Amino acid sequence: NLLEMSYLGKRVESRPASAFSDPSVPFLPGNSFSDTTRANFRKSHAFDIRAGTPISNDVPRKDYPPAPPPPSSTQLPSRRQLSLQGSLSNPVQGDFVPAFAGLEGKVLRFEAFTSEQVPENLTQPSRVRKFTICYHLVDDSIQINEHREQNSGYAQGLFMKRHRVAKRGPVGEEFVTLFDFTDSRVVMIYNREFHLTGCNGFTSEFFRVNGLKLTFESAVPVDKYTVQRATLSRLSTRSATPALDGRTSQLSSTSEIFRPDSSMSASSVSSPPKRDMREKFLKYANKVLRFYALWDDRGSMFGERMEFIINYYLQDDKIEVLEVKKSNSGRDPFPKLVKKQRIPRHFHGVPTVGSKEADFEDEFIHEQDLVVGEQIEVFGRELRIYDCDQFTREYYRQQFGFQQPERALDAEPLADFPSIELPPYNGFGSEPDSISSYLTLIPKPRFGFLTDPDRAMRLDAVVLRWKARFDMDRMNMPNPDDGKRRFVVSFFMGDASVSVYEPPIQNSGFMGGKFLERQRVLRRGQRMGAGGGMGKEG
């Protein structure tokens, strides 16, 4: 079936079907009469759908004349004259079809490429990117998709969403139309040159029917970067699949790859040869060598002594360093010092762009470098290994014939903290309360019998009393009359306090009464806070 679609102008107004008048009379008010013989008064509708195509009933059917011959390439048709059909030699006669219905889903597809400059790369100064340009005829919108290529370094896929593309025209801002693809090898979209290289069959037939000319580039330039990556990938694939005999012999000699001489010691470390990573994965999957290390940085300002756990993964020769968390250390629980990765023996900075890990295989830390009692450098930190677990010791003994030394961690000397000197009593309050306010910011209950509240309640009513007098031999400059004085010493068991009362004696010259207020009394030669309070044994 051949389909012809045209962009028409305004519709010619026709007379209503209910009007009954002479066609020669002008269609003006008062010159038309109703049809008196009309029996059908149903409401007519203007739009209908026939064969799945929306049509308008008030547009009269018209027989289209044969299409004119194709114009020359120098005279382009207008959008109203464009037609979409397989051939113009036998056009289809039928109802009028609007452009929005006939052109819906009709897309012109072009193949194109762009060349971008890469000044950062001296070997490949330019990159070639391939695209597919989809031109939607229904609304002149354009969508661009980029071809997907492996390891190209670009996002690829949808490059530009479907929309009408603006351009700078001679009379102002215009839009990119179908005629911008006619007889031109380059289409400018947002200041980017798209070089046309081909199209599909529908697009070619559409241009041929409408008398438009297509011009394409002769060839697509070669992208050196893509060719280089493809060559490297092909070579690596060949080298990764050796012959079966060679692989079998390599597997049979695995136990001898790292077998050291009998003269191997903890200080003699050699660089290991390259091993088959597939074999290591199958043999050492989920097997880890664990070492315990120490980093002593107390020589620097605010430095401290920290412990770490070094895990060496045998399947890929990667190392992770974990920090040992200690209670009340004052540090945040940061789990890892170094995440799982290859660690160089001496860190000299970040590798250059384009360098590969295989080029620095001899500079990374291997299992031969991890020996108890030795030091390793982890990104500038000197960690001293002082111990390892039992599995690690068995691995070194079976694989290398080397016995790891025993635990090499020196005991830390006990810190000698200075003693606290108690200040002298200042006379404010009681002396025990002053000492408590000095020892703690929030004063606590006094030491002694008060720490046992049950005992204080039971012995609160118990009072021990003694008769006493002055010891004249131990007194300094005694008064002869002091030998006549007598005292009653009371000891209160509830709080270990002491009071002294002097009974009055007539004509003695002393008034008598309370000699010492009830309080706690220090022993002779003792100081407050030294445990010298007088108890029941004093």
Side-chain angles (χ1 to χ4, degrees):
N1 295 327
L2 299 178
L3 178 64
E4 180 181 357
M5 286 159 288
S6 303
Y7 297 90
L8 299 179
K10 293 185 178 180
R11 222 170 27 245
V12 179
E13 196 68 36
S14 62
R15 293 175 180 268
S18 60
F20 180 75
S21 60
D22 189 359
S24 61
V25 178
F27 184 59
L28 295 175
N31 295 332
S32 60
F33 306 94
S34 300
D35 187 3
T36 58
T37 62
R38 179 181 179 184
N40 185 5
F41 294 95
R42 291 180 299 178
K43 185 70 174 180
S44 62
H45 57 279
F47 299 99
D48 199 356
I49 297 179
R50 294 182 183 176
T53 303
I55 63 173
S56 178
N57 289 329
D58 59 345
V59 177
R61 297 181 59 179
K62 179 181 178 181
D63 294 335
Y64 295 96
S72 60
S73 59
T74 58
Q75 182 181 2
L76 296 178
S78 63
R79 179 178 175 82
R80 301 177 183 270
Q81 300 172 345
L82 282 177
S83 63
L84 177 61
Q85 57 184 12
S87 174
L88 292 180
S89 60
N90 186 18
V92 177
Q93 306 296 331
D95 295 337
F96 168 76
V97 179
F100 71 88
L103 297 179
E104 179 65 29
K106 302 301 186 294
V107 181
L108 304 182
R109 190 179 303 270
F110 301 91
E111 300 296 331
F113 73 89
T114 61
S115 180
E116 294 185 355
Q117 300 297 324
V118 185
E120 296 85 1
N121 195 339
L122 300 180
T123 57
Q124 293 92 17
S126 63
R127 293 291 304 277
V128 178
R129 304 174 64 178
K130 300 177 182 180
F131 300 91
T132 298
I133 302 176
C134 299
Y135 184 91
H136 297 263
L137 291 171
V138 66
D139 56 356
D140 295 331
S141 59
I142 299 177
Q143 177 179 335
I144 302 179
N145 300 323
E146 183 176 1
H147 295 187
R148 294 188 178 274
E149 295 183 5
Q150 188 178 6
N151 297 329
S152 65
Y154 293 104
Q156 303 177 350
L158 181 60
F159 183 76
M160 187 183 75
K161 293 183 178 180
R162 176 181 173 181
H163 67 281
R164 297 192 68 185
V165 179
K167 69 173 183 178
R168 183 68 62 180
V171 296
E173 186 171 345
E174 300 177 354
F175 293 97
V176 176
T177 62
L178 179 65
F179 305 111
D180 293 321
F181 293 84
T182 303
D183 198 13
S184 177
R185 291 187 176 92
V186 180
V187 177
M188 185 69 67
I189 298 178
Y190 292 129
N191 292 333
R192 188 187 294 266
E193 294 183 353
F194 288 86
H195 299 262
L196 303 180
T197 60
C199 64
N200 60 353
F202 175 79
T203 304
S204 178
E205 183 67 14
F206 177 82
F207 273 77
R208 186 190 66 80
V209 168
N210 290 277
L212 304 179
K213 183 180 180 181
L214 285 175
T215 306
F216 301 117
E217 297 286 354
S218 58
V220 180
V222 178
D223 189 4
K224 298 181 180 179
Y225 177 80
T226 305
V227 174
Q228 181 182 5
R229 290 301 299 263
T231 304
L232 294 177
S233 177
R234 186 165 53 253
L235 294 177
S236 61
T237 304
R238 293 178 180 177
S239 60
T241 56
L244 182 61
D245 298 339
R247 186 175 63 179
T248 305
S249 61
Q250 185 180 9
L251 292 174
S252 61
S253 60
T254 301
S255 59
E256 301 298 330
I257 291 180
F258 285 127
R259 178 70 63 178
D261 299 335
S262 58
S263 61
M264 177 181 177
S265 61
S267 59
S268 61
V269 178
S270 61
S271 300
K274 188 175 181 180
R275 299 180 64 180
D276 189 359
M277 301 306 296
R278 294 173 299 175
E279 175 200 354
K280 296 191 65 177
F281 174 78
L282 296 175
K283 188 175 182 179
Y284 299 113
N286 299 327
K287 293 185 179 180
V288 183
L289 304 180
R290 175 168 295 183
F291 297 87
Y292 302 94
L294 184 68
W295 180 49
D296 194 351
D297 192 40
R298 291 176 293 185
S300 60
M301 182 178 295
F302 308 113
E304 54 185 324
R305 181 174 179 267
M306 301 179 61
E307 297 182 6
F308 298 94
I309 296 177
I310 302 175
N311 292 329
Y312 185 92
Y313 294 85
L314 293 172
Q315 63 182 7
D316 51 7
D317 297 328
K318 293 185 178 181
I319 300 176
E320 70 174 357
V321 182
L322 309 179
E323 181 180 343
V324 178
K325 180 185 177 182
K326 295 184 178 180
S327 59
N328 300 327
S329 62
R331 301 179 63 88
D332 292 334
F334 197 76
K336 293 184 180 181
L337 177 69
V338 179
K339 68 177 183 179
K340 183 180 177 181
Q341 59 179 298
R342 302 292 300 276
I343 299 180
R345 292 191 181 95
H346 303 285
F347 182 67
H348 301 291
V350 180
T352 59
V353 178
S355 59
K356 299 180 180 179
E357 185 177 297
D359 301 337
F360 308 95
E361 183 66 28
D362 296 338
E363 299 183 9
F364 290 108
I365 295 178
H366 293 271
E367 59 261 42
Q368 290 88 346
D369 301 316
L370 304 176
V371 180
V372 175
E374 299 294 330
Q375 290 186 353
I376 62 172
E377 179 183 340
V378 178
F379 296 112
R381 296 190 181 191
E382 295 291 339
L383 302 183
R384 185 172 68 88
I385 303 175
Y386 66 87
D387 199 3
C388 61
D389 59 359
Q390 188 61 31
F391 171 77
T392 304
R393 297 182 183 275
E394 291 295 329
Y395 173 80
Y396 278 87
R397 185 179 61 83
Q398 297 177 6
Q399 187 71 14
F400 302 105
F402 170 71
Q403 185 67 31
Q404 288 280 2
E406 297 298 328
R407 181 183 177 93
L409 181 62
D410 300 333
E412 286 292 312
L414 298 178
D416 187 13
F417 295 97
S419 60
I420 302 177
E421 296 290 340
L422 298 179
Y425 177 56
N426 54 9
F428 294 96
S430 63
E431 190 170 358
D433 293 339
S434 299
I435 295 298
S436 298
S437 63
Y438 169 75
L439 296 177
T440 58
L441 184 61
I442 300 177
K444 298 180 179 180
R446 293 179 294 174
F447 300 97
F449 290 168
L450 292 180
T451 58
D452 190 356
D454 296 335
R455 182 178 182 183
M457 292 179 62
R458 288 187 287 102
L459 301 178
D460 186 49
V462 178
V463 181
L464 305 180
R465 292 183 177 89
W466 292 270
K467 288 184 178 181
R469 60 181 178 82
F470 284 127
D471 189 355
M472 303 297 290
D473 297 335
R474 295 186 179 183
M475 294 179 61
N476 295 327
M477 300 178 64
N479 189 350
D481 296 332
D482 289 338
K484 303 176 182 179
R485 304 175 66 179
R486 296 295 182 265
F487 302 94
V488 177
V489 180
S490 301
F491 183 82
F492 299 87
M493 295 291 294
D495 58 355
S497 58
V498 179
S499 67
V500 180
Y501 179 79
E502 181 180 1
I505 301 177
Q506 294 182 356
N507 301 324
S508 64
F510 298 97
M511 295 181 60
K514 188 181 294 186
F515 183 79
L516 178 65
E517 185 72 25
R518 179 179 175 179
Q519 57 182 307
R520 300 198 66 186
V521 180
L522 294 175
R523 294 192 184 98
R524 181 182 301 175
Q526 296 291 335
R527 290 191 59 190
M528 180 62 66
M534 182 179 292
K536 63 180 181 178
E537 67 277 4

